[in-house]
Amino acid sequence: MNATPENGNGGPDPEQAPEQAPEPSVATTLSVEASAAPLLAQAEPGGDGPNSGEGGEWELLLQKLREWLNQGQLQSLWAQASKPVTLLAGLVGVLLVLRIYAALLGAIESLPLVPGLLELAGVVWMVRYGVPKLLRSSEREQLLGGLSKRWKSFRGQG
């Protein structure tokens, strides 16, 4: 005889088979009880809908904003802040111009031969117009005097 008991069909005895745990079930329905509070807020006498009754923060905010605008505080606030706002707008404008200028120079530099040709044009201009004005002392003094005058005018001293 075999050491394992059989039930005649060649399989293990059903009494010795391990028991399986029942599978958990998922709830298929969900019940939510309705609240009567929103209906009461809408149905109050003299109310204009869901914003009346409870809450009303939006209307309160609009009322405070209208009162503030009617008092004329906006004009005094703008008078105080116009200088910093103008300076900030000027700074943003300068930064924008510098970014565009840098992008333009980058595009020109990426073209073949253009940077070298522009450098050559600068050297030719300096030799043709700059050197003769620097050789003679009278023209050199006149040039330096003009530059000094422009610098003082730029600094607001002249």
Side-chain angles (χ1 to χ4, degrees):
M1 284 223 124
N2 290 341
T4 58
E6 294 183 1
N7 61 358
N9 59 4
D13 192 18
E15 297 158 351
Q16 292 183 359
E19 293 184 23
Q20 293 181 353
E23 291 186 25
S25 62
V26 178
T28 57
T29 60
L30 179 66
S31 62
V32 178
E33 294 186 25
S35 170
L39 296 176
L40 290 176
Q42 290 180 2
E44 284 187 10
D48 290 339
N51 291 336
S52 63
E54 288 185 16
E57 290 85 6
W58 181 250
E59 286 81 16
L60 182 63
L61 177 65
L62 288 177
Q63 180 184 3
K64 293 285 186 181
L65 186 61
R66 285 185 198 112
E67 289 175 7
W68 183 67
L69 288 174
N70 289 336
Q71 289 176 356
Q73 291 180 355
L74 185 62
Q75 290 81 9
S76 65
L77 182 65
W78 175 251
Q80 292 173 352
S82 65
K83 185 83 168 180
V85 169
T86 304
L87 289 175
L88 184 64
L91 180 65
V92 168
V94 166
L95 288 176
L96 183 65
V97 167
L98 288 176
R99 292 285 301 228
I100 291 172
Y101 183 67
L104 181 66
L105 288 179
I108 289 173
E109 186 180 354
S110 70
L111 296 173
L113 296 175
V114 173
L117 289 175
L118 290 175
E119 187 175 339
L120 179 64
V123 169
V124 167
W125 180 87
M126 183 64 125
V127 169
R128 179 155 178 152
Y129 297 104
V131 172
K133 289 194 174 194
L134 294 175
L135 288 178
R136 294 186 209 114
S137 64
S138 62
E139 289 188 18
R140 187 173 48 236
E141 288 175 6
Q142 185 181 10
L143 177 67
L144 291 176
L147 289 175
S148 175
K149 182 180 176 184
R150 287 181 186 169
W151 178 249
K152 286 180 180 178
S153 173
F154 174 74
R155 291 179 53 198
Q157 296 175 351

